[in-house]
Amino acid sequence: MDAGDAAEIIRNLTAFQIGDSAFIFQNFSQATSDRYAGVLNQLAQEVEAKGVTVVNAPAPTAVGVLIEDAYQEKLGCVSQVKILEYINSKLDDRVVQVDTVSALIEHNSEYVFFRTDHHWTALGAYYSYRAICEAIGVEAVDIDSLEPWEQGEFKGSLYGRVSQPHRLRPDTVTAYIPEGEIEFEITYSGGSTSAKPILQDASNRGINEKYLVFGTDYPMTHAENKSLPDAPNVMVVKDSFGNCFVPFLTQSFHNVYAFDYRKYNSTPISDLVEQYDIDYIIVMPYITAIQDSQGPGMVQKVCTGRW
């Protein structure tokens, strides 16, 4: 997308809009990027002897994928390609680096981000999942083999954060039903658990709630695909971008343990890898969160128990 003339860019305090789409700003902090890379290096060092591979795969946002790098400065943003390159330059060789930004840029003519919300669509999450599978040598499912599940029209988190929301084109939410015998368990903040479907029908919910087809931000979830008993096991350190990402992982892994770094406050995952027989840990906060002063610390607490 071309950012166009300055008059066409409508800025607000926390978001801006171009035409029918809204975006969040992207800054860069060398200090927090360095700390985040240090967290991954520390985690990889702690679990290497246990046969676990750490994967760095932050989720990009729309501004880093849909807007050309040449216009980032004009928008008051920093290129997410360059941010990820900087973080990866600070990582040890033992950490697998996935260029999630470029993986989505290759498909930026497709519907990979919402126009009224800061999240990616399930299709956007799929392309990141596929890039991760390729990087670690695990077979990815073909999205065309999965049944799409339409949830209807959607107005997301950015709709109320721009000055001319009437110019935004409404979104639609589509989930993709994973195949296999999948059991899904949620662990709540108090430690109680419950079993639910991995996708939850939101078609009859309000127009602002359609993303809840992917659930909400639980501290921990566990998905087991009993149809893939010989597949590897994976942990994911995530935020809400991971909600529509996890169902794809069930198509390549036997057990998928997902931890929301903003909500999880129990045993650090570095102490759980042997108990859960983990092969991979995917760390995927969205890129903007990494640049927040609190983001790397929250990721560190979940991964290694240190702040």
Side-chain angles (χ1 to χ4, degrees):
M1 179 183 292
D2 185 316
D5 298 329
E8 298 176 333
I9 304 167
I10 305 170
R11 291 179 171 85
N12 284 57
L13 187 62
T14 60
F16 65 95
Q17 61 187 107
I18 302 173
D20 63 5
S21 301
F23 304 85
I24 54 174
F25 291 99
Q26 180 62 64
N27 69 316
F28 171 70
S29 167
Q30 181 175 333
T32 56
S33 296
D34 287 345
R35 185 176 182 188
Y36 172 74
V39 170
L40 268 67
N41 289 337
Q42 178 187 5
L43 176 63
Q45 182 178 5
E46 292 192 10
V47 302
E48 182 180 29
K50 301 173 183 178
V52 180
T53 299
V54 174
V55 181
N56 180 44
T61 64
V63 70
V65 172
L66 303 183
I67 305 293
E68 294 179 7
D69 270 10
Y71 294 97
Q72 296 293 324
E73 185 176 353
K74 181 178 181 179
L75 294 167
C77 296
V78 179
S79 163
Q80 292 183 2
V81 171
K82 295 178 180 177
I83 291 173
L84 190 54
E85 286 177 350
Y86 178 82
I87 292 171
N88 285 339
S89 74
K90 300 296 180 179
L91 294 176
D92 295 345
D93 291 341
R94 61 169 67 93
V95 179
V96 175
Q97 304 168 13
V98 182
D99 189 351
T100 48
V101 182
S102 295
L104 269 76
I105 288 175
E106 292 177 4
H107 298 276
N108 62 10
S109 63
E110 302 174 41
Y111 189 33
V112 291
F113 283 96
F114 295 116
R115 293 175 293 271
T116 68
D117 193 86
H118 66 289
H119 292 103
W120 52 15
T121 64
L123 180 61
Y126 171 78
Y127 287 126
S128 181
Y129 149 80
R130 195 171 71 177
I132 292 168
C133 288
E134 181 178 351
I136 62 177
V138 172
E139 185 176 355
V141 69
D142 185 340
I143 197 170
D144 291 334
S145 70
L146 303 180
E147 180 183 352
W149 190 16
E150 304 293 339
Q151 299 298 301
E153 187 174 317
F154 173 55
K155 292 180 181 179
S157 63
L158 298 182
Y159 193 82
R161 290 168 59 180
V162 296
S163 59
Q164 298 186 20
H166 62 278
R167 293 182 58 184
L168 301 179
R169 183 152 47 108
D171 289 295
T172 56
V173 173
T174 302
Y176 294 87
I177 301 174
E179 296 180 335
E181 183 186 352
I182 298 172
E183 293 185 356
F184 187 66
E185 183 179 71
I186 297 162
T187 299
Y188 300 97
S189 56
S192 62
T193 63
S194 69
K196 287 191 176 183
I198 194 168
L199 296 175
Q200 301 167 37
D201 188 4
S203 60
N204 292 322
R205 287 182 172 270
I207 196 170
N208 301 315
E209 300 179 315
K210 302 298 186 178
Y211 198 71
L212 291 177
V213 65
F214 306 112
T216 189
D217 303 326
Y218 308 111
M220 175 184 171
T221 62
H222 171 214
E224 179 182 7
N225 190 339
K226 293 182 176 296
S227 302
L228 298 176
D230 299 322
N233 299 323
V234 65
M235 286 177 166
V236 186
V237 179
K238 56 167 278 294
D239 44 43
S240 55
F241 276 71
N243 295 350
C244 64
F245 174 84
V246 165
F248 292 119
L249 290 179
T250 66
Q251 304 302 278
S252 300
F253 296 89
H254 175 48
N255 287 291
V256 180
Y257 300 90
F259 303 84
D260 191 315
Y261 61 86
R262 305 160 303 166
K263 306 284 186 178
Y264 181 77
N265 291 299
S266 190
T267 306
I269 64 172
S270 58
D271 293 336
L272 295 174
V273 293
E274 290 178 303
Q275 176 183 340
Y276 293 157
D277 192 23
I278 296 301
D279 299 287
Y280 298 96
I281 299 175
I282 300 171
V283 185
M284 56 166 301
Y286 78 109
I287 287 180
T288 307
I290 298 172
Q291 304 308 309
D292 182 270
S293 60
Q294 299 298 312
M298 289 190 286
V299 172
Q300 183 175 22
K301 185 178 181 182
V302 170
C303 289
T304 63
R306 302 171 183 85
W307 185 268

